[in-house]
Each structure stands twice: as structure tokens, then as C-alpha cells.
Amino acid sequence: MTNDSCTNGHSESSQRKMNFGAGPAQLPLEVLKNVQAEFLNYNGSGSNIMELSHRSSAFAKIIQEAEQDIRDILSIPESYAVLFLQGGATAQFSAIPMNFLNLKPSQTADYLVTGYWSEKAAKEAEKFGKVNWVVPKQDKYKGITSYDKHSIVY
């Protein structure tokens, strides 16, 4: 048996569960082993990566490399900003209308509600301003209605 084998003869990677759901994804075994190896002493810094100050040069290098990787993979030009935000996708349900509606009653946002998540987003946006449900709320979402039936506010 190799070091990558478990006692039952199956490799570590074949025993790992697959995650096809939304949210956290399964990381490649190679990545996890690299994290494990550097867990107590990240890149020779003498600290765990979670213990690094966000003001340290080691952390600044991590952020710079992550931003460049994202720019390279997604072909994002320098004229666009890459933001690292906390809170997950649902936090944006409030952050977007909070910034675009500016808590002004005169501002209206059109929401094309076609399912569970867009309905959650529209409901959250209603806390910050007027929301126009382009597609009226439905008991069951089966598709997107014809464009000529949308009620978009101009």
C-alpha cells in the first residue's frame, strides 16, 4: 500500500464525498494536503495563516496573488475592481439595494423574480426601497413569462 491508501485498500480520494450543492465546494486532495503541511507555519512566516494580521506583508501577498489569479482566470481588466467581501451571496441581497436605492422612497428597483433565490433577494430589497416585481409572485415557479408580459418601470 502507498501512503495515499487507507486500511480498506481504497485511496483517500475515492473515499471522499462529492458535494454538488450550492455553497462550499470540495477541494482537491492535493490542495488539502498543502494546507495541512503549512497549517502551523504558513510559508515560513512562523504563524498559522489564520493568525496572520490583515496588515502584514504576508497577507498582502496572499490578497495580491488571489486578485491576480481571479483577473487571469476571468480575464478581468485593470479598469474593473475585484472586491473580496464577506457574508456570502445572500449578504448581497441587502448590500446591492442598500447602495443602489440609497434608502430613498423615490428610487425603484426592478426584480425579475423567477424562483426561490430571486424571491428572497426581492423581499430583502423591499427593506431599502421600492421594488417592482417584474414577474408577479407565483405559487410555483415553472419558467420565465414572455417579455411582453413584464411590467418594467422606466
PDB file of all heavy atoms in Angstrom, residues 81-99:
ATOM      1  N   ALA A  81     -12.587  46.776 -10.607  1.00  0.00           N
ATOM      2  CA  ALA A  81     -12.101  46.426  -9.271  1.00  0.00           C
ATOM      3  C   ALA A  81     -12.527  45.004  -8.937  1.00  0.00           C
ATOM      4  O   ALA A  81     -13.598  44.558  -9.337  1.00  0.00           O
ATOM      5  CB  ALA A  81     -12.672  47.386  -8.234  1.00  0.00           C
ATOM      6  N   VAL A  82     -11.680  44.295  -8.230  1.00  0.00           N
ATOM      7  CA  VAL A  82     -12.018  42.978  -7.688  1.00  0.00           C
ATOM      8  C   VAL A  82     -12.210  43.180  -6.198  1.00  0.00           C
ATOM      9  O   VAL A  82     -11.315  43.667  -5.512  1.00  0.00           O
ATOM     10  CB  VAL A  82     -10.900  41.937  -7.950  1.00  0.00           C
ATOM     11  CG1 VAL A  82     -11.213  40.627  -7.249  1.00  0.00           C
ATOM     12  CG2 VAL A  82     -10.704  41.726  -9.443  1.00  0.00           C
ATOM     13  N   LEU A  83     -13.399  42.839  -5.708  1.00  0.00           N
ATOM     14  CA  LEU A  83     -13.707  43.038  -4.298  1.00  0.00           C
ATOM     15  C   LEU A  83     -13.779  41.698  -3.584  1.00  0.00           C
ATOM     16  O   LEU A  83     -14.389  40.761  -4.088  1.00  0.00           O
ATOM     17  CB  LEU A  83     -15.049  43.757  -4.140  1.00  0.00           C
ATOM     18  CG  LEU A  83     -15.183  45.104  -4.839  1.00  0.00           C
ATOM     19  CD1 LEU A  83     -16.599  45.642  -4.671  1.00  0.00           C
ATOM     20  CD2 LEU A  83     -14.162  46.092  -4.304  1.00  0.00           C
ATOM     21  N   PHE A  84     -13.182  41.617  -2.417  1.00  0.00           N
ATOM     22  CA  PHE A  84     -13.292  40.445  -1.558  1.00  0.00           C
ATOM     23  C   PHE A  84     -14.233  40.841  -0.419  1.00  0.00           C
ATOM     24  O   PHE A  84     -13.879  41.658   0.423  1.00  0.00           O
ATOM     25  CB  PHE A  84     -11.922  40.024  -1.010  1.00  0.00           C
ATOM     26  CG  PHE A  84     -10.987  39.534  -2.075  1.00  0.00           C
ATOM     27  CD1 PHE A  84     -10.049  40.375  -2.652  1.00  0.00           C
ATOM     28  CD2 PHE A  84     -11.060  38.220  -2.514  1.00  0.00           C
ATOM     29  CE1 PHE A  84      -9.192  39.919  -3.638  1.00  0.00           C
ATOM     30  CE2 PHE A  84     -10.212  37.748  -3.501  1.00  0.00           C
ATOM     31  CZ  PHE A  84      -9.279  38.606  -4.056  1.00  0.00           C
ATOM     32  N   LEU A  85     -15.444  40.290  -0.450  1.00  0.00           N
ATOM     33  CA  LEU A  85     -16.468  40.675   0.511  1.00  0.00           C
ATOM     34  C   LEU A  85     -16.841  39.492   1.379  1.00  0.00           C
ATOM     35  O   LEU A  85     -16.842  38.358   0.931  1.00  0.00           O
ATOM     36  CB  LEU A  85     -17.710  41.191  -0.227  1.00  0.00           C
ATOM     37  CG  LEU A  85     -17.457  42.331  -1.208  1.00  0.00           C
ATOM     38  CD1 LEU A  85     -18.700  42.599  -2.041  1.00  0.00           C
ATOM     39  CD2 LEU A  85     -17.038  43.578  -0.460  1.00  0.00           C
ATOM     40  N   GLN A  86     -17.207  39.771   2.604  1.00  0.00           N
ATOM     41  CA  GLN A  86     -17.648  38.700   3.496  1.00  0.00           C
ATOM     42  C   GLN A  86     -19.164  38.618   3.488  1.00  0.00           C
ATOM     43  O   GLN A  86     -19.840  39.533   3.048  1.00  0.00           O
ATOM     44  CB  GLN A  86     -17.137  38.927   4.906  1.00  0.00           C
ATOM     45  CG  GLN A  86     -17.661  40.181   5.551  1.00  0.00           C
ATOM     46  CD  GLN A  86     -17.022  40.412   6.899  1.00  0.00           C
ATOM     47  OE1 GLN A  86     -16.017  39.826   7.239  1.00  0.00           O
ATOM     48  NE2 GLN A  86     -17.608  41.278   7.688  1.00  0.00           N
ATOM     49  N   GLY A  87     -19.689  37.516   3.956  1.00  0.00           N
ATOM     50  CA  GLY A  87     -21.126  37.390   4.118  1.00  0.00           C
ATOM     51  C   GLY A  87     -21.796  36.440   3.152  1.00  0.00           C
ATOM     52  O   GLY A  87     -22.933  36.073   3.353  1.00  0.00           O
ATOM     53  N   GLY A  88     -21.148  36.059   2.091  1.00  0.00           N
ATOM     54  CA  GLY A  88     -21.760  35.144   1.144  1.00  0.00           C
ATOM     55  C   GLY A  88     -22.738  35.843   0.216  1.00  0.00           C
ATOM     56  O   GLY A  88     -22.977  37.043   0.305  1.00  0.00           O
ATOM     57  N   ALA A  89     -23.311  35.063  -0.679  1.00  0.00           N
ATOM     58  CA  ALA A  89     -24.184  35.614  -1.707  1.00  0.00           C
ATOM     59  C   ALA A  89     -25.423  36.287  -1.122  1.00  0.00           C
ATOM     60  O   ALA A  89     -25.845  37.341  -1.592  1.00  0.00           O
ATOM     61  CB  ALA A  89     -24.591  34.518  -2.681  1.00  0.00           C
ATOM     62  N   THR A  90     -26.016  35.695  -0.088  1.00  0.00           N
ATOM     63  CA  THR A  90     -27.247  36.277   0.444  1.00  0.00           C
ATOM     64  C   THR A  90     -27.005  37.637   1.108  1.00  0.00           C
ATOM     65  O   THR A  90     -27.934  38.444   1.190  1.00  0.00           O
ATOM     66  CB  THR A  90     -27.960  35.319   1.424  1.00  0.00           C
ATOM     67  OG1 THR A  90     -27.059  34.931   2.447  1.00  0.00           O
ATOM     68  CG2 THR A  90     -28.491  34.094   0.707  1.00  0.00           C
ATOM     69  N   ALA A  91     -25.789  37.902   1.532  1.00  0.00           N
ATOM     70  CA  ALA A  91     -25.494  39.225   2.086  1.00  0.00           C
ATOM     71  C   ALA A  91     -25.640  40.295   1.017  1.00  0.00           C
ATOM     72  O   ALA A  91     -25.978  41.440   1.310  1.00  0.00           O
ATOM     73  CB  ALA A  91     -24.092  39.266   2.684  1.00  0.00           C
ATOM     74  N   GLN A  92     -25.424  39.916  -0.237  1.00  0.00           N
ATOM     75  CA  GLN A  92     -25.561  40.870  -1.334  1.00  0.00           C
ATOM     76  C   GLN A  92     -27.021  41.218  -1.600  1.00  0.00           C
ATOM     77  O   GLN A  92     -27.319  42.220  -2.234  1.00  0.00           O
ATOM     78  CB  GLN A  92     -24.894  40.323  -2.598  1.00  0.00           C
ATOM     79  CG  GLN A  92     -23.409  40.052  -2.435  1.00  0.00           C
ATOM     80  CD  GLN A  92     -22.652  41.198  -1.792  1.00  0.00           C
ATOM     81  OE1 GLN A  92     -22.736  42.338  -2.236  1.00  0.00           O
ATOM     82  NE2 GLN A  92     -21.911  40.918  -0.736  1.00  0.00           N
ATOM     83  N   PHE A  93     -27.945  40.381  -1.117  1.00  0.00           N
ATOM     84  CA  PHE A  93     -29.371  40.676  -1.273  1.00  0.00           C
ATOM     85  C   PHE A  93     -29.718  41.999  -0.599  1.00  0.00           C
ATOM     86  O   PHE A  93     -30.652  42.683  -1.009  1.00  0.00           O
ATOM     87  CB  PHE A  93     -30.249  39.569  -0.687  1.00  0.00           C
ATOM     88  CG  PHE A  93     -30.211  38.272  -1.434  1.00  0.00           C
ATOM     89  CD1 PHE A  93     -30.757  37.135  -0.874  1.00  0.00           C
ATOM     90  CD2 PHE A  93     -29.645  38.152  -2.690  1.00  0.00           C
ATOM     91  CE1 PHE A  93     -30.748  35.921  -1.545  1.00  0.00           C
ATOM     92  CE2 PHE A  93     -29.628  36.954  -3.378  1.00  0.00           C
ATOM     93  CZ  PHE A  93     -30.182  35.831  -2.799  1.00  0.00           C
ATOM     94  N   SER A  94     -28.991  42.368   0.448  1.00  0.00           N
ATOM     95  CA  SER A  94     -29.218  43.656   1.088  1.00  0.00           C
ATOM     96  C   SER A  94     -28.183  44.688   0.653  1.00  0.00           C
ATOM     97  O   SER A  94     -28.509  45.870   0.515  1.00  0.00           O
ATOM     98  CB  SER A  94     -29.223  43.523   2.608  1.00  0.00           C
ATOM     99  OG  SER A  94     -28.023  42.958   3.062  1.00  0.00           O
ATOM    100  N   ALA A  95     -26.952  44.277   0.425  1.00  0.00           N
ATOM    101  CA  ALA A  95     -25.899  45.230   0.073  1.00  0.00           C
ATOM    102  C   ALA A  95     -26.187  45.940  -1.248  1.00  0.00           C
ATOM    103  O   ALA A  95     -25.969  47.152  -1.363  1.00  0.00           O
ATOM    104  CB  ALA A  95     -24.548  44.516  -0.005  1.00  0.00           C
ATOM    105  N   ILE A  96     -26.689  45.217  -2.224  1.00  0.00           N
ATOM    106  CA  ILE A  96     -26.946  45.828  -3.537  1.00  0.00           C
ATOM    107  C   ILE A  96     -28.051  46.881  -3.457  1.00  0.00           C
ATOM    108  O   ILE A  96     -27.833  48.034  -3.846  1.00  0.00           O
ATOM    109  CB  ILE A  96     -27.221  44.748  -4.598  1.00  0.00           C
ATOM    110  CG1 ILE A  96     -25.923  43.978  -4.868  1.00  0.00           C
ATOM    111  CG2 ILE A  96     -27.789  45.353  -5.879  1.00  0.00           C
ATOM    112  CD1 ILE A  96     -26.085  42.737  -5.696  1.00  0.00           C
ATOM    113  N   PRO A  97     -29.235  46.549  -2.938  1.00  0.00           N
ATOM    114  CA  PRO A  97     -30.253  47.606  -2.874  1.00  0.00           C
ATOM    115  C   PRO A  97     -29.890  48.727  -1.900  1.00  0.00           C
ATOM    116  O   PRO A  97     -30.270  49.881  -2.114  1.00  0.00           O
ATOM    117  CB  PRO A  97     -31.514  46.870  -2.430  1.00  0.00           C
ATOM    118  CG  PRO A  97     -31.052  45.618  -1.799  1.00  0.00           C
ATOM    119  CD  PRO A  97     -29.771  45.262  -2.500  1.00  0.00           C
ATOM    120  N   MET A  98     -29.146  48.404  -0.849  1.00  0.00           N
ATOM    121  CA  MET A  98     -28.744  49.432   0.110  1.00  0.00           C
ATOM    122  C   MET A  98     -27.904  50.498  -0.604  1.00  0.00           C
ATOM    123  O   MET A  98     -28.022  51.684  -0.331  1.00  0.00           O
ATOM    124  CB  MET A  98     -27.937  48.809   1.249  1.00  0.00           C
ATOM    125  CG  MET A  98     -27.744  49.730   2.426  1.00  0.00           C
ATOM    126  SD  MET A  98     -26.781  49.032   3.791  1.00  0.00           S
ATOM    127  CE  MET A  98     -27.143  47.315   3.783  1.00  0.00           C
ATOM    128  N   ASN A  99     -27.076  50.068  -1.529  1.00  0.00           N
ATOM    129  CA  ASN A  99     -26.215  51.000  -2.244  1.00  0.00           C
ATOM    130  C   ASN A  99     -26.890  51.641  -3.450  1.00  0.00           C
ATOM    131  O   ASN A  99     -26.677  52.810  -3.735  1.00  0.00           O
ATOM    132  CB  ASN A  99     -24.923  50.301  -2.674  1.00  0.00           C
ATOM    133  CG  ASN A  99     -23.997  50.101  -1.506  1.00  0.00           C
ATOM    134  OD1 ASN A  99     -23.378  51.038  -1.052  1.00  0.00           O
ATOM    135  ND2 ASN A  99     -23.943  48.893  -0.991  1.00  0.00           N
TER     136      ASN A  99
END
